[in-house]
Amino acid sequence: MGNEYKPDLITLIDDENVEHNFEILDTIENEKGVFYALYPIFDSAEESVEDSGEYYIMEVIEVDGEEQLAEVEDEALLDELSAIFEQHFEEMFDDIEED
């Protein structure tokens, strides 16, 4: 039982003060900043089945001395980060399949 999976969860509040729950799939920290790959958590099985399976890439920014997450707006950076995250995911799944 020592190998139980416990996801890292985060709640974000959007511009309309609506809470959205996400699982943190992975984190990248490099010279360009700190970035998270987030996957939405749904309240019902139907919502989960209807989801497209896409994850979101968010950047840690500082606003008034407080860390916040924001969407990555630079398309080239977003493409670069997507490639890195996808490589990480492939490596994680390869490790799982080998076990």
Side-chain angles (χ1 to χ4, degrees):
M1 293 274 174
N3 291 335
E4 289 184 32
Y5 172 72
K6 295 190 182 195
D8 290 327
L9 305 177
I10 188 170
T11 300
L12 301 178
I13 301 172
D14 66 18
D15 294 336
E16 284 112 32
N17 287 326
V18 177
E19 291 186 355
H20 302 275
N21 297 311
F22 296 89
E23 177 181 354
I24 301 172
L25 299 176
D26 197 7
T27 305
I28 294 172
E29 186 171 350
N30 60 25
E31 69 281 350
K32 296 179 182 179
V34 178
F35 305 91
Y36 290 99
L38 303 177
Y39 187 76
I41 298 175
F42 300 99
D43 295 328
S44 70
E46 289 99 22
E47 288 178 304
S48 183
V49 169
E50 293 172 2
D51 181 60
S52 65
E54 293 181 0
Y55 62 92
Y56 298 89
I57 298 176
M58 305 293 280
E59 177 179 14
V60 176
I61 61 170
E62 191 171 312
V63 177
D64 297 328
E66 185 177 312
E67 285 188 349
Q68 296 184 8
L69 293 180
E71 293 182 52
V72 176
E73 297 189 14
D74 180 329
E75 288 296 321
L77 177 59
L78 190 58
D79 290 343
E80 178 183 332
L81 293 167
S82 294
I84 295 169
F85 280 125
E86 293 295 327
Q87 181 64 37
H88 286 184
F89 299 152
E90 283 183 33
E91 291 169 2
M92 283 189 275
F93 286 116
D94 283 348
D95 289 345
I96 291 170
E97 290 174 4
E98 291 175 5
D99 290 342

